[in-house]
Amino acid sequence: MTTDWPKRALQMLEESRSHPGWGYRANDIPYVEPSVVCGFALRARFGTGTQEPSRSREIAQWLKRLSQPDGSVGLSAELPRPAWPTAWALWYWRTAAHTSGEPCRKATEWLLRRRGETFPTPRNVGHDTTIPGWPWVEGTHSWVEPSAIAIQALCLSGLGTHQRVRDGVRLLLNRPVPSGGWNTGNRITKGTPLRALPAPTGISLIALATALTATERADRHVREIVQRAINYLLEQLPRTRAPQSLGWGLLGLAAWGVHPEEAEWWLSESAEQMLGRRAEPLPLGVLLLAERPDRSLRAMGVPVRQLDPHLEATGVLATP
Amino acid sequence: MTHHPTSPKNTSPGRGVSGQRGVSRRALLAGAGTAAAGVAGLAWYGGSEGGWRAETAILRAPRYDASLPRRLREGLTTLGIDRQAVHRKRILLKPNLVEPSREAPHINTHPLFVRSVAEVFLQLDAAEVIVAEGQGHIRDSWYVLEQSGLQSQLDDTKLSFIDLNVDRVFTAKNAGGRMKERKLYLPQTLRRVDWIVSLPKMKTHHWAGATLAMKNLFGVMPGICYGWPKNVLHFNGIPQSIYDINATVRPHLAIVDGIVGMEGDGPIMGTPKEAGVIVMGRNFPAVDATCCRLMQIDPRRVPYLRLSSGRLGPILERHIEQRGEAIAACATPFATLPDSGLLPETSPI
């Protein structure tokens, strides 16, 4: 039996808001990432365009005020660096009714210029370190989550065929762990395969749903990567009630047309556990997005894809 | 108690972030003058270790059970840490939760270990005990607490948890000076506690040789500023980063969970290793060097300890007073990977 948790979660979001957005903790100063995720959650629930709630509109305006002269957007008004949230801000702007303007253009250019450090692949590292993606912090290597978010933002900016985006997709396809799904971006270290994690896997599946071309989606190797990631999530999500892991995992599945029957129950348990302990805006926002996944994906500009069922019939990609 | 020529009667551990004792001028000058000449910039301070002396306590603890609080309290008593020392202190416990997995509980500090340490400090009249971590790989702290089993212990004991990855931050002057960053971002929670207590797992590390009390402080660095993983610290050099963070944060006490440690491909993919010990002390290089000896790893081969020797504390056995059990009685070999960052064998000094 599920509860009325979404209503209470929305109420909690309202109470924990720090105008004009949300902090990582209730009533903390607003940070870009939780503000964007909670803004997406409000849009998914109450509509976009003329129906968009004032709360989520205000976030878009606030993000523009955070835009630095070089086009980047930092963590918060207090912390202009590191600027990995630029991709979140651009993603948010590009899915709003009002996407034009200098901050959008400059953030796009900034993101295209930014690239993770590359170097010849060392012995005992299991991924191709020469593929440029996006780092968390400038001057460091590329990782899965910042790359996935940058890919999403740039695709929504009409740059899906840009070389940087294609390299980013190549990076994601190069980095899954051997058993399926993604860790933070390493797959094998010193000869040992790493374990996948639900949230990076979900976010990567979202980015791939948006960025993969029809030709790529038809490629057997690519479809195997996607199917193995889906299999991983189907196996792992019943065993976690951690909100961001569960929420991003379910959204990643939904982006590929997969909706576990018990998801509603898992979300309810996760939300109740959280509301009973410490309510934090970002995890609450992710849970609310996952509760209405198809609407949320639309609000976030993510298309829903389907894998060719023929692939599963081969037995190679059988679900657990 | 840690003894050093510049602070012979320093009865509480030093503090960097709140402006107490830093690295001695002599040590800094020595480090600056010799860094380029050392092994990968990790110059050996010298056999005198700048006059640093310290005590560590070794306790036998064969398993995670109800006897843990008693054993921990014995260890604290051995080090002279009593009710008077702890009275009204706000204590931050920093376990190692880098990437927990239910399938591999030996990755992280055991949840009963964390709980037992918290109970002991509360018994000793601590004003507050909080558990805090900025885990290195997983952004979802709820997942970390769930997978590690720590959430249920926090619930039982009403202990609060703070995710240091998303804490409000402040900047502190980098007191170590080995990384290129002149300032470090640190979580504000560090400023509102009196003692920072590192609760690492006794593990080998595939890049750093070993991960113990000092390396565990990577987990106070906020992920929003350093990433997941905290790749900024890798790019700066792991030994240099460990050194700078410890020189700046100046933690107060280390209590190492060596009951079941990890050998081989640590810190995540290694295999469990029963060592049956708890190691504690106020001086972190001394504690880590003692742990290395218990793991039968020469601490002089561990780059960050070589760098810390004589600058942040002693690592030579003759400069560390071992209390409780003897090293020889408890030592057990931990396997290391062939290319795990350990320096070549050194001749005795």
Side-chain angles (χ1 to χ4, degrees), chain A:
Chain A
M1 189 178 85
T2 58
T3 65
D4 65 342
W5 71 266
K7 188 178 169 188
R8 285 181 289 130
L10 284 167
Q11 180 64 31
M12 189 65 78
L13 276 190
E14 185 62 27
E15 290 168 4
S16 63
R17 183 168 175 256
S18 301
H19 182 79
W22 283 268
Y24 284 101
R25 301 208 178 104
N27 307 115
D28 196 359
I29 59 163
Y31 284 83
V32 170
E33 184 188 30
S35 298
V36 165
V37 170
C38 293
F40 277 141
L42 293 184
R43 279 187 191 161
R45 198 150 290 264
F46 300 112
T48 55
T50 55
Q51 296 178 333
E52 181 171 359
S54 60
R55 297 275 187 269
S56 56
R57 274 203 309 274
E58 286 166 8
I59 292 165
Q61 294 306 317
W62 173 68
L63 291 172
K64 289 185 177 179
R65 292 198 296 278
L66 294 191
S67 176
Q68 300 291 310
D70 64 358
S72 65
V73 178
L75 295 165
S76 67
E78 290 179 350
L79 292 166
R81 283 290 184 273
W84 55 265
T86 305
W88 278 114
L90 185 60
W91 185 353
Y92 196 72
W93 286 329
R94 293 298 189 194
T95 49
H98 34 80
T99 60
S100 60
E102 195 71 352
C104 262
R105 184 183 64 76
K106 291 176 75 172
T108 306
E109 289 172 0
W110 186 88
L111 212 48
L112 287 173
R113 286 195 305 272
R114 207 56 42 202
R115 53 190 286 158
E117 295 292 313
T118 56
F119 41 85
T121 303
R123 193 168 54 87
N124 285 333
V125 169
H127 65 265
D128 185 346
T129 55
T130 67
I131 304 174
W134 283 265
W136 289 105
V137 182
E138 291 172 58
T140 64
H141 197 38
S142 305
W143 298 95
V144 160
E145 285 179 78
S147 295
I149 297 161
I151 288 167
Q152 182 68 30
L154 290 171
C155 282
L156 292 172
S157 305
L159 294 168
T161 59
H162 194 283
Q163 187 59 44
R164 287 303 319 278
V165 174
R166 301 329 305 164
D167 282 344
V169 169
R170 204 155 56 90
L171 180 142
L172 290 183
L173 295 176
N174 178 254
R175 301 279 191 104
V177 301
S179 55
W182 285 263
N183 191 282
T184 59
N186 282 321
R187 54 189 304 275
I188 297 172
T189 305
K190 300 254 173 154
T192 308
L194 302 184
R195 298 178 186 90
L197 296 167
T201 298
I203 292 170
S204 297
L205 282 176
I206 288 170
L208 289 178
T210 302
L212 286 175
T213 63
T215 307
E216 287 168 334
R217 289 199 304 277
D219 179 86
R220 183 177 178 83
H221 174 63
V222 172
R223 292 191 302 176
E224 282 187 10
I225 289 170
V226 171
Q227 185 66 59
R228 286 183 198 282
I230 290 171
N231 292 353
Y232 163 73
L233 289 174
L234 289 173
E235 185 186 339
Q236 285 299 317
L237 296 189
R239 298 155 65 181
T240 183
R241 297 297 176 267
Q244 292 189 70
S245 299
L246 179 61
W248 286 121
L250 287 172
L251 288 164
L253 288 177
W256 289 91
V258 179
H259 298 272
E261 280 181 12
E262 294 184 316
E264 198 178 334
W265 173 245
W266 303 337
L267 287 166
S268 175
E269 282 194 337
S270 176
E272 292 299 342
Q273 133 183 309
M274 193 178 181
L275 292 166
R277 291 191 178 107
R278 57 181 197 281
E280 296 164 350
L282 176 58
L284 276 181
V286 178
L287 285 180
L288 284 167
L289 284 170
E291 198 253 343
R292 295 185 180 183
D294 289 337
R295 257 184 98 140
S296 297
L297 292 173
R298 269 198 304 280
M300 297 162 77
V302 181
V304 175
R305 307 292 188 191
Q306 301 287 339
L307 275 182
D308 183 351
H310 168 74
L311 203 61
E312 269 189 59
T314 63
V316 175
L317 307 175
T319 52

Side-chain angles (χ1 to χ4, degrees), chain B residues 47-65:
Chain B
S48 73
E49 298 201 295
W52 281 94
R53 303 293 181 267
E55 303 85 28
T56 64
I58 303 170
L59 298 103
R60 283 189 192 274
R63 63 189 70 85
Y64 302 98
D65 62 16

